[in-house]
Amino acid sequence: MGASKKESVEVEKREEEKKKSKKTQPTKKEKLSTEESLLHKKQEDTATDYKEFSEDDSSEDYKSAEESEAGDSETSGDEGFHNTGSNEGLANEGQSEDSEPDLGGEESDSSEDEVAPRNTVGDVPLEWYRDEKHIGYDIAGKKLKKKEKQDKLDSFLANVDDSKNWRKIYDEYNDEEVELTKEETKLIRRVLKGKAPHGDFDPYAPYVDWFKWEDSKHPLSNAPEPKSRFIPSKWEAKKVLGLVRAIRKGLIKFDKPKEEPRFYMLWGDDASSSEKTGHLSYIPAPKPNLPGHEESYNPSLEYIPTQEEINSYQLMDEEDRPKFIPKRFTSLRSIPAYENAVKDSFERCLDLYLCPRVRKKRINIDPESLKPKLPSRKDLKPYPATCYLEYRGHKGAVMSISTEASGQWIASGSSDGTVRLWEVETCRCIKVWEFGEVVQYVAWNPLPELPILAVSVGQDVFLLNTGLGNEETQRKVKELLHVATSTVLDGSGNKVSAWNWLQDDKHEGIRLQHFKTVYSVEWHRKGDYFSTVMPAGDSKAILIHQLSKKFTQRHPFKLHGLPVSAVFHPTRSIFFVSTKKNVRVYDLLKQKLIKKLETGLREVSSISVHPAGDNVIVGSRDGKLCWFDMDLSSKPYKVLKCHPKDINNVAFHRSYPLFASCSDDCTAYVFHGMVYSDLNQNPLIVPLEILRGHASSNGRGVLDCKFHPRQPWLFTAGADSLIKLYCH
């Protein structure tokens, strides 16, 4: 059958060649049409052969034909190659006869021109063009009309007439029919049979085990299941029996199902609707009172007032006067228009508008439950509670006190112009320095081997030798307190005349002159540096002095406001400067501002740093005490309103979790302040004790308070010229 078809095709080719030879020179389009027709016929023949061969399911060689599909594809490819060769030969013959050169490029261009314009819709959904006659536009902007769709009868007849119609698929997006190739039909058949689309794919390839299972131990076991798996659990039976007995005795009660009312209002009311909606805050709108018998147009005679009663209504107050006087009419037509209709409707709307439609529930809360749960004071012992000793000797108010590093001595400065050195345990006054002027501040050197006392008197700061310690200690102290020159140089090498280091032979120490009154003196933890604070708004207000080199330098930062006090960090090179409104934290090595603590207080009076260095307490003139957690925020962690008057000083204990504040109300408050190493846990602050005992003098109370360095004791200095020691 195939051979006969090939012969017929060759005969047709010869006849066509004879016709071409009779004609004059052929055109390019005629050449292409002949070649395309030959190729199209050849493909039709091979397709019909393949279809007949594939659709013959009843034949015995069907399976062998399917297995030889790959071989058929190869032979079909070879046939295609021979066909193209034959076509090329025909073309060459035509060229030899007509002596026309081969123009392959021009032929391809002409074939592209003959292709119909494709859909130019792009990414637009096709639903937009469902009811339109066109689909997209061409380059010139003209509409591309859709192809007319065949009805079912035409499509059926086309399938009967055309044997290749089963290969055609309608492309809705491009509005054209696409004919599947042999390779595509083979792929579809393999997918329908559940095979891999490509024949080269091997679904049963040998498994490659990438892991070694030689030394592995499998947890699974082939042992038979125990008999206990098939026996009901006795424990469950006992549990069920106990529950049944509890239900019978009434120990376990079940919620009864809610019984719905048998009868209900058909239209309902506002109350039922509010219950159904479940809104607790809903309040129905107020309803006007229903009219009574007296408001009828034809009421009984008993409701109609007499003329005397109507006249008496005019003599009554407007509030007590009845708003409606019943009248009698014979018919509805004779009823006049209501005079206050607009006014009543307005008042009704006003009631609906101004009615509070939210129900505010009162919450009954026990005030004790709102208080934070704090540990018992007994568990927080030891802490100072009672007055144990009194130090008497000053004739004026004790302005400042300071404890020695070992805790054996205490120094005090008073407004009577004297500085006294006391022994803590015996209350014995060992030494007195007289200055003849109010002593503002005293500060002991933090090193035990340097018993040096810094005293601020007016515009001078005195560094005094207390005379404590052995001979070697005294020799070292005398060397430090010796001044060779009376002037110092600043950082740029210029001479500074605002402050001078002078030798003070009267008090056997050093006299450091300033240009203003010195408020406070604070030592660095190493004992070689100390700072002084003066009431000025520029950089000269805070000075840092070095004792070993007799060197003084200004505070390297610009101040914003009048400084109150300055404190060194206990462990790091950080400097705290408190003004009247906030606290600024500086890094002395990097010389930059680290943080600004916003107190929100009226006026800051004192500051103290926790021994760990991460927490700061600030006292104020309005009686508030602020606790700052520097790792947490720049705002206060806690604000304690404890004193009714000004807070004069605050202090932390070096080793115990205690801090205290003293005020002009003649009291000192002791608090428990535990700081945890865990950053997720906030500090614990518990008020412990209120220490009383000082008397008021000229409106002043307790002026200073300091903790003992080793014991949970508190020293307080009052305006009544007394120093008191409170012990646990």
Side-chain angles (χ1 to χ4, degrees), residues 46 48 151 357 394 399 548 552 633:
T46 54
T48 52
D151 55 0
R357 305 297 289 276
H394 285 291
M399 304 297 293
S548 59
T552 301
S633 172

Side-chain angles (χ1 to χ4, degrees), residues 4 26 51 111 132 257 288 332 415 447 458 592 662:
S4 62
K51 184 179 179 183
S111 63
E132 301 292 336
L332 290 173
S415 60
L447 296 180
K592 68 175 184 178
C662 60

Side-chain angles (χ1 to χ4, degrees), residues 368-624:
E368 296 295 330
S369 63
L370 298 177
K371 294 181 180 179
K373 295 181 180 180
L374 299 176
S376 176
R377 293 195 301 169
K378 296 180 181 179
D379 300 334
L380 302 178
K381 288 184 177 180
Y383 57 86
T386 57
C387 181
Y388 184 63
L389 293 175
E390 289 185 358
Y391 302 85
R392 298 176 179 270
H394 285 291
K395 297 179 181 179
V398 182
M399 304 297 293
S400 175
I401 54 176
S402 179
T403 57
E404 193 250 341
S406 63
Q408 186 178 359
W409 313 97
I410 182 173
S412 62
S414 175
S415 60
D416 59 2
T418 61
V419 175
R420 292 177 179 266
L421 183 63
W422 310 83
E423 190 177 8
V424 173
E425 295 182 357
T426 61
C427 298
R428 184 165 57 95
C429 181
I430 296 182
K431 200 168 186 179
V432 179
W433 291 272
E434 294 184 0
F435 294 96
E437 196 175 350
V438 177
V439 178
Q440 295 288 341
Y441 205 89
V442 293
W444 211 300
N445 194 299
L447 296 180
E449 59 271 15
L450 293 178
I452 299 174
L453 186 66
V455 180
S456 66
V457 180
Q459 298 182 1
D460 298 331
V461 174
F462 292 89
L463 301 177
L464 305 178
N465 182 7
T466 57
L468 304 175
N470 52 23
E471 295 180 357
E472 185 178 354
T473 302
Q474 284 296 315
R475 182 178 56 82
K476 187 177 180 180
V477 169
K478 289 179 181 179
E479 289 179 0
L480 282 174
L481 298 181
H482 177 70
V483 179
T485 58
S486 60
T487 58
V488 293
L489 301 176
D490 61 0
S492 60
N494 300 324
K495 291 186 178 181
V496 180
S497 59
W499 50 84
N500 294 323
W501 293 73
L502 302 175
Q503 191 72 39
D504 187 13
D505 297 331
K506 179 181 178 181
H507 301 98
E508 296 180 356
I510 296 176
R511 180 184 178 186
L512 186 58
Q513 292 182 344
H514 292 69
F515 62 93
K516 282 190 178 182
T517 303
V518 180
Y519 278 167
S520 65
V521 181
E522 294 291 342
W523 286 91
H524 190 262
R525 66 181 185 278
K526 294 184 178 180
D528 192 22
Y529 294 90
F530 63 94
S531 65
T532 56
V533 179
M534 293 173 288
D538 53 1
S539 59
K540 295 180 182 180
I542 299 176
L543 303 176
I544 299 176
H545 312 274
Q546 187 176 5
L547 178 59
S548 59
K549 296 182 179 180
K550 311 300 184 295
F551 178 75
T552 301
Q553 63 179 358
R554 299 177 182 175
H555 185 251
F557 307 101
K558 185 179 180 181
L559 297 176
H560 299 272
L562 293 176
V564 176
S565 61
V567 185
F568 290 97
H569 193 277
T571 56
R572 297 163 59 188
S573 60
I574 294 176
F575 196 53
F576 296 85
V577 177
S578 65
T579 59
K580 290 188 176 182
K581 294 296 181 182
N582 49 46
V583 178
R584 295 176 178 269
V585 187
Y586 299 98
D587 191 339
L588 294 177
L589 291 179
K590 298 180 181 179
Q591 290 195 356
K592 68 175 184 178
L593 178 66
I594 299 176
K595 188 175 286 189
K596 179 182 176 182
L597 305 179
E598 299 176 1
T599 61
L601 303 173
R602 186 185 69 187
E603 183 180 351
V604 176
S605 61
S606 56
I607 181 175
S608 181
V609 184
H610 191 269
D614 294 333
N615 295 269
V616 180
I617 54 175
V618 177
S620 68
R621 295 292 180 191
D622 49 359
K624 293 181 181 179

